[in-house]
Amino acid sequence: MEIPWWVLVLACTAVVGALGYRRVDVGVRVLAVLLVLEFGTVLVFDIGAFAHAPEGVSAAPLTWGAATDGSLGVALCCVFAAYMGFESAALYSEECRDPRRTVARATYIAVGLIGVFYAATAWAMVSGAGTGRATRVAAEQGPQMMFSLSDSSLGTVFSDFAQFFLITSLLAALLSFHNAVARYVRSLGREGVLPRGLGVLHRRHSSPHRGSLLQTAVTAAVIGVFALAGRDPVADVFTWLTNLGALGVILLLFATSASVVAYFARRPELGEPLWHRLIAPVLSGAALAVIFWLALTNFSVQLGVSSDNPLRWILPGLILVAAGVGVGWGAWLRVGRPEIYAGVGEGEERRVVGG
C-alpha cells in the first residue's frame, strides 16, 4: 500500500512538535544520537568512495576552476541552504552560563566542522564516481548518486541503512529549525513585538511551548495547501521552499552585517574591537550582497523552471513582501508604542514566565 507523502510529512511534523513542546534538552539528546549515527554513516561512505575511486583520487575538484565552473549563483545558494541554521547557537544564549564565550565558540566550531565535512564528502562523491564523469553521473542520478556509489563500494545493506539515516537526519534538521523558530517567536512575544502571550514559558518544561505550537500549526497549514494542490513533495515543496529559505537567509545575514555597523557606530562607548564592529561586518556584507545578486539572477535554474516562468520572481517577491511588512510593523511600533520599540533586544530583563 502506498502512503501519501503528506501523511508521512504530517506524522513527522507531529513528532517534531511534540519534542519541541518540551524542554530543549530533550531535543538535544535526540539530535545528539542522530548526529552521531549520521556522521558515522557519511564517514564510512567517504572512506569507501575514496578506496574504490575508479580514476583514483585527484585534487582537481578542489581547484578554483572547479569551484567557479557552471552556475556559481546556484552553487552559492545551495551552500547557504546547507549551512542554514548555523547561527542558531545564539538562540540558546539565555540558557548558557557564559553566553558571550559559549555562543561564539559553538558557532566557530560548527562552521569549521561542517565546512570540512561537506568538502570531504563532496570530494569523496566526485572521486567515487570518477573525476572525469562525476558531473554526468550527478545529472543522471540526482539525489540517488550517493546511494548508488555506496552500493558499488560498500554493498546494498549499507545503502539501506544510509537511506534510513537520511530520513532521521531530515527529522533532526526539522527539530533544530522548529526549536529555533519557537525561540524567535518567544523572544518577540516576550518583548511585545508579537502578542505577549507568545512569550510565556511553560511552567513545567520551561519551554517556548506557544511558539512551538504556532510553528506546528503553520507547518501543517503549508503542507495542507501543497497537498490539496497536488504538488510534488520534492520538485515543488522541497525545491521551492528550500531555495526560498536560502535566499531569505542570505538577505537576513546582509541586513545583520549592516545592523552591526550601525549599532556600534551609535555606541562607541562599548569599546568593541575594530574588527568586530566594522571590518568583519563590512567584508561579510559586501560578499553577501554579491552572493544574493548571483542567487537571485540564477533563481530559475534553482527552481528548475524556464527563465520566463513567473515563479522566478513571485517566490523572491515573497521575501520582499515579508521584509516590507516587518519594516512597516517596526515603524508603527516606533511611533505608536515607543516603549516597546525601545525595549527590543533587552532579553531576559523583559522575561515573562507563566503557564
Side-chain angles (χ1 to χ4, degrees):
M1 181 181 68
E2 184 177 349
I3 302 175
W5 67 267
W6 54 268
V7 173
L8 297 175
V9 172
L10 289 178
C12 289
T13 300
V15 172
V16 170
L19 291 173
Y21 187 87
R22 301 175 62 84
R23 287 188 60 184
V24 64
D25 56 357
V26 175
V28 167
R29 292 192 188 103
V30 174
L31 287 173
V33 172
L34 296 178
L35 179 62
V36 170
L37 294 173
E38 294 147 13
F39 184 90
T41 301
V42 177
L43 184 61
V44 172
F45 166 81
D46 291 349
I47 295 172
F50 281 127
H52 295 83
E55 299 175 12
V57 179
S58 170
L62 304 179
T63 62
W64 177 253
T68 55
D69 186 31
S71 299
L72 183 59
V74 176
L76 290 173
C77 198
C78 290
V79 168
F80 269 86
Y83 275 86
M84 199 181 295
F86 81 93
E87 78 291 346
S88 60
L91 295 174
Y92 301 99
S93 59
E94 295 175 359
E95 301 168 50
C96 301
R97 294 180 180 178
D98 186 359
R100 187 179 180 90
R101 169 185 275 178
T102 302
V103 170
R105 183 179 297 172
T107 303
Y108 287 133
I109 292 175
V111 171
L113 287 177
I114 292 172
V116 171
F117 200 49
Y118 279 169
T121 302
W123 188 15
M125 292 183 70
V126 172
S127 299
T131 304
R133 62 190 189 96
T135 302
R136 177 172 57 83
V137 173
E140 293 173 353
Q141 299 182 4
Q144 191 63 28
M145 178 180 176
M146 179 177 181
F147 305 114
S148 65
L149 292 177
S150 63
D151 271 344
S152 59
S153 61
L154 298 167
T156 56
V157 174
F158 177 85
S159 294
D160 291 340
F161 275 106
Q163 293 192 54
F164 174 76
F165 290 136
L166 170 63
I167 296 174
T168 61
S169 70
L170 293 175
L171 186 64
L174 288 173
L175 180 57
S176 178
F177 291 142
H178 181 94
N179 285 336
V181 172
R183 279 158 178 77
Y184 277 130
V185 171
R186 185 256 167 158
S187 297
L188 292 172
R190 178 191 60 203
E191 297 181 354
V193 178
L194 293 179
R196 288 194 179 277
L198 293 173
V200 173
L201 292 176
H202 195 281
R203 288 190 181 276
R204 186 165 57 132
H205 304 307
S206 296
S207 63
H209 61 300
R210 293 180 179 175
S212 176
L213 290 173
L214 177 62
Q215 167 68 357
T216 301
V218 170
T219 301
V222 171
I223 295 304
V225 169
F226 277 95
L228 291 174
R231 308 304 304 193
D232 185 88
V234 176
D236 298 329
V237 182
F238 179 81
T239 302
W240 292 6
L241 299 185
T242 299
N243 285 297
L244 182 63
L247 197 64
V249 167
I250 297 172
L251 187 60
L252 283 172
L253 292 177
F254 171 77
T256 301
S257 298
S259 299
V260 169
V261 175
Y263 179 83
F264 287 113
R266 293 196 302 265
R267 294 169 175 80
E269 70 278 2
L270 296 178
E272 197 71 20
L274 181 64
W275 172 259
H276 291 169
R277 61 183 169 83
L278 184 62
I279 298 177
V282 167
L283 291 176
S284 64
L288 287 163
V290 173
I291 293 170
F292 181 81
W293 175 251
L294 289 173
L296 183 63
T297 53
N298 289 276
F299 206 63
S300 60
V301 180
Q302 295 162 230
L303 296 178
V305 299
S306 62
S307 59
D308 58 350
N309 191 305
L311 271 178
R312 69 164 300 184
W313 298 115
I314 292 175
L315 289 178
L318 295 177
I319 296 176
L320 298 180
V321 170
V325 171
V327 171
W329 182 248
W332 182 84
L333 286 176
R334 186 172 186 176
V335 176
R337 305 181 68 183
E339 73 286 355
I340 297 295
Y341 185 86
V344 173
E346 289 186 3
E348 280 298 290
E349 296 178 7
R350 299 172 66 87
R351 180 174 181 174
V352 180
V353 182

